Amino acid sequence: MSDETLRQLAAKAGVAPHWTDQTGAERAVTPESLRAILSALGLPADSDSTLRNSLSMLESGVNAAATSRFTTARVGQPVSLPLSAPGGTTVEIVLEGGAHRVVTSEEGYDGALTLPAFAEPGYHIVRTSEGDFSIATAPERCITFADLNAGAPGWGLAAQTYSLRTAGDGGIGNFAGVAALGRSAARRGADALAISPVHSLYGAEPALFSPYSPSTRLFYNPLHADPAAVLPGELIQDVIAKLGLADEMAKLGSLPQVDWLAATAQRWTLLRALFDALHDPACAAEAPRADFERHLAEASPLLKAHAVFEVLHTAELRRDPGLRNWRDWRLAYRDPDSPEVAAFAAEHQDEVAYQIFLQWLTGRSYGEAQRVCRENGMNVGLIADLAIGMDGSGSHAWSRQHEVLGGLSIGAPPDYYAAEGQNWALTTFSPRGLAASGFAPFIETLRASLRYVGGIRIDHVMGMSRLWLIPEGAGALDGAYVSFPSETLFRLIALESWRHSAIVIGEDLGTLPNGFRDDLRAQGVAGLRVLRFEKTEHSYVPPEQWDAGAVALTTTHDLPPTAGWWAGTDIDPSDDGIDQDNLRAWDRGVLWGAFQNAGLVEGERPGPDDTDPVVDAAIRYIARTPCTLKMLPIEDALGIRTQPNVPGTTTEKPNWRHRLDGEAGQLLDDATVQARLRHLGLPREEA
């Protein structure tokens, strides 16, 4: 086979045959990797004949919009459809709101049916003699915080959901803690509360608790449900008493870290008992029961499939603990549409209903937390975190196999922080599959994330443009960049932002293509500006020079909090500790000098253990920026040193386990904490 022809096919398919490493050297993707990636994209290239066929298929110019009858547009721009029609043709249009219009087409390029520009965003239907076409018409950009706050600056907090303590949470933070912290933060003047991902994980595998490795992003993690937000308190307490759970819940709730194995088992016991109690004819919870029964009767095929997966996954693991990947299940169970799966679901109808109950309870809890935030004065309220992909062994990959890239995982090429690159063991949507399906999977994912919130943070937002994809079994160095239809994806993001009146934040840290941040700004997607990364050759970027459209932060969940960094808690003494200490001492001087240059501090820099003045100065530094929205991680608000996640580590670090000291609703009551928050804005009662 010709490697040159293989590279031509790759380039036409959006697979870059070359890439530039962190040293600036150009490197070629191996033919083996190109063939594996192309095969996953539905373009086999393992022989001369398949290579020629795949190349011929691409060069034939098959129009995905014509196949899916779906296209996107922007308000104010003419719309061309893959149909032939002369200018002056009358066309009927049904707007998303139901209004009907008749328009006259314009002269289009190469005779294509070209419609006048739409004046309003929405999912509009065009009636043609060849069938209906859906046109997702996006606004010029996303809703921004400036839009919601009349151009005035504001601020918010960021917290890990599981870390928030409330009475009776049983050791895992839930939406009761989110609501309590949101209420408290709103009183102090906050407009937003960003939380860690609450995507559904695996009910049968409590050891898999990373919030960024979901089974599906279409549904939620029931461990974060707040039963008290939905069910009568008397019912909950009665169930706890009958099961004798109170002491164990209190013990788990008092631990400094989440004991995921013990706390999850105890949580499932409680939730299952609540499900059974709700069905008891003697139960007085008539309104919640009626609400759930409506939810159960109206459950979508997507929700039912997820519920069946959870029950089936549990059964297969019970049969053989090694069967965590659905590809290893019994053959008949690997197909979600098989008669055997339908028979299993019918036989386990009660367990399937219980899984739907968990999603109902979690969704209602989520919505209640957002209601609390908004009713206490927040303009945005909750900001959800959308993970970049999903586990290929999970619910989404099983139930929607045609939508995902089998045999590939998302990662990152080598950089100065990871010399061998990174493999995140996540899969994602097929760019060709998205186009063929009218981008329905992407739209569903956006809507699931936006359903109960006022904003989303898109993890690794560069993935809307390109992703580093690695063939199964290969190392991160053997990956390649694969392009995604960024203009279409960003149009859909803008449209869903407009429909939900929600802001969009993009995690744009790390190595980015030239101009990518400018593109984000034009789309109304707020990038992140993190103090630790806003460095010049000898100092830090002065606060007045920060990008006004970006979100300013002191740190992130993947970095040590400011106090921890200053104290050097992230330095491993066994790894050139002396050199690292000397380097950190130098870096402390550079940061303190930047604070001095900004007129925020005076005098000698504090010692490594004197962290409070540094935390205060860091908060005042981002407060000085023109960034319309400042987000403060709760760790810096409290001045603590614990890092939620250490990238590149798994069991050797207690990632995604740390819990905050004190009740969630009282974390901001300390006078020192309140003084810090005043740097960002006045409490609402004083504003």
Side-chain angles (χ1 to χ4, degrees), residues 355-393:
Q355 293 297 326
I356 294 174
F357 163 82
L358 293 178
Q359 291 302 316
W360 167 77
L361 188 69
T362 311
R364 293 292 186 266
S365 306
Y366 205 165
E368 175 63 15
Q370 171 67 350
R371 184 195 65 79
V372 168
C373 290
R374 291 299 303 272
E375 289 190 358
N376 280 275
M378 288 188 177
N379 281 326
V380 174
L382 298 180
I383 298 176
D385 202 330
L386 175 59
I388 187 59
M390 72 287 281
D391 187 348
S393 302

Side-chain angles (χ1 to χ4, degrees), residues 15 150 227 431 452:
V15 183
Y452 301 112

Side-chain angles (χ1 to χ4, degrees), residues 26 130 147 183 233 270 330 344 369 383 413 435 499 542 567 575 625:
E26 184 174 278
E130 299 186 30
D147 295 328
R183 181 183 294 108
L270 172 61
R330 283 171 282 190
F344 177 90
I383 298 176
R499 294 173 85 248
D575 182 22
T625 71

